[in-house]
Amino acid sequence: MNTQQLTELTWPDVAQAVAAGVTTVILPLGATEQHGPHLPLGTDTCRAAALAGRLAERLPALVAPVIPIGCSSEHRGFAGLLSLEAETLAAVIVDCAQHMAGWGVQRLIVLTAHGGNGQALALAEARLHQVLPALAVWIPSPMAICGEAVLTIAAEAGLPFNTMGLHAGEWETSELLSLHPEQVRMEQAAPGHTGDMDAALATLIAKGTRALTAAGVIGDPCAADARRGERYLAAQAACYEAAWRQWLTQSSRT
Ligand SMILES: [Zn+2]
């Protein structure tokens, strides 16, 4: 078996993997929301799947199909948006986890590539503790775990945070150029909101993306580069692996 993707495995493959001790599943969470005029709506879904695949190779773990719709109401007012209430997404996560526990999963990693899913993740975590106390659940915070490594890679290339960006900037555009270059419209790429990123995040949460930018870009995608995109992805997978191993040790769940 050289794939870890549930959707590509048969049930005997999965039963065999679980019997052999692969009892960790990664559930990736994406989004379907605007990413400026140059990136597809499925950008976060694509990034979530890529990060989950890279992390799974390092653990090992099985990878559930990415949930392609998240909580993205901060992008209301842009065409193409699909979004769930936090309660709905939390319920989907809990429902999936119930079935995983039924076929022997002992540890669940919920890996989000979209920051807006935070409230749903908190709800899901609390509920899973109640209904599946035997399932060890790890829900890492992307910025807390990977932020510094990603900022360092950008800084090495002379790119400040407000270029790398919070949304559809150099960071995400580089990753998409690495993963799906045919989906990136670089001729449409242009700087969006490039003010202070901490202030931008506060406005994004309080008032939505439209309060900052009509094009939907927070950052500057023009300097994006596919090779740096791959470095970002690899660095995040390494950060998640290190944090996972630390979490396992701390929670004595080895
Ligand atoms: Zn995104």
Side-chain angles (χ1 to χ4, degrees), residues 26 50-59 109 111 138 237 240-241:
I26 304 171
L51 287 167
R54 280 163 175 71
L55 179 59
E57 285 168 14
R58 290 166 167 269
L59 292 190
I109 300 172
L111 198 66
W138 186 55
Y240 281 127
E241 182 195 5

Side-chain angles (χ1 to χ4, degrees), residues 31 33-35 39 43-44 47 75 113-115 166-168 172:
E33 65 184 31
Q34 73 80 19
H35 273 76
L39 291 179
T43 290
D44 289 347
R47 295 174 51 245
H75 296 290
H114 169 58
L166 290 178
H167 189 78
E172 288 191 309

Side-chain angles (χ1 to χ4, degrees), residues 15-110:
Q16 205 177 350
V18 171
V22 183
T23 56
T24 300
V25 169
I26 304 171
L27 176 63
L29 303 185
T32 301
E33 65 184 31
Q34 73 80 19
H35 273 76
H38 65 293
L39 291 179
L41 298 166
T43 290
D44 289 347
T45 298
C46 174
R47 295 174 51 245
L51 287 167
R54 280 163 175 71
L55 179 59
E57 285 168 14
R58 290 166 167 269
L59 292 190
L62 296 168
V63 182
V66 57
I67 297 178
I69 304 176
C71 302
S72 302
S73 60
E74 71 273 20
H75 296 290
R76 61 195 170 273
F78 290 95
L81 174 67
L82 300 177
S83 184
L84 302 175
E85 293 297 320
E87 282 284 350
T88 311
L89 180 57
V92 170
I93 295 167
V94 173
D95 286 354
C96 290
Q98 301 257 28
H99 286 278
M100 290 175 196
W103 45 267
V105 174
Q106 294 176 8
R107 304 180 190 98
L108 172 63
I109 300 172
V110 187

Side-chain angles (χ1 to χ4, degrees), residues 144-207:
I145 290 172
C146 307
E148 197 180 320
V150 170
L151 278 164
T152 301
I153 292 170
E156 283 168 10
L159 303 171
F161 189 12
N162 67 344
T163 295
M164 211 185 85
L166 290 178
H167 189 78
E170 183 276 334
W171 175 8
E172 288 191 309
T173 306
S174 291
E175 290 189 357
L176 259 285
L177 280 175
S178 161
L179 295 168
H180 284 292
E182 76 287 356
Q183 295 184 16
V184 181
R185 286 81 158 167
M186 275 315 283
E187 71 284 1
Q188 299 289 330
H193 177 83
T194 53
D196 179 78
M197 290 290 114
D198 292 326
L201 181 60
T203 304
L204 175 81
I205 292 167
K207 299 180 182 169

